[in-house]
Amino acid sequence: MEILNGIASGTPLWVWPLLAGLSGVGLLSMRRRVSPVWVYWLIPFMAVFAVRAVAGMKPDAALWALFCASYAMGAVIGWRVQPRWILRREGGGFTCAVRR
């Protein structure tokens, strides 16, 4: 219980609205929707923020190797499961939904 109190009191205030917003986006993502392709091409570039965070920790080679392996594993898993979600491609977008 002490750990939960530490998390609640030590977390910056801006994190809680971010958590609520991302949770809402996640719930909306469970519905059928049409999304533009260009948005998903930006996702790999978001790694720049993660690289800056890791570099700020003054990491050694082992941490960089772990970071790169984790990023690559996430990309492979995403590539393999995405056919389950994409229902149709058309023009500059695609229709997707979570299949159960």
Side-chain angles (χ1 to χ4, degrees), residues 14-67:
W14 61 268
V15 170
W16 300 111
L18 177 64
L19 176 63
L22 290 175
S23 297
V25 168
L27 289 173
L28 289 174
S29 294
M30 294 178 70
R31 301 174 136 181
R32 183 180 295 239
R33 66 205 177 277
V34 176
S35 301
V37 173
W38 67 268
V39 173
Y40 292 91
W41 282 103
L42 294 177
I43 292 173
F45 296 108
M46 295 175 82
V48 171
F49 298 117
V51 168
R52 290 187 64 205
V54 171
M57 295 189 298
K58 310 274 192 274
D60 59 359
L63 185 60
W64 277 115
L66 179 63
F67 173 79

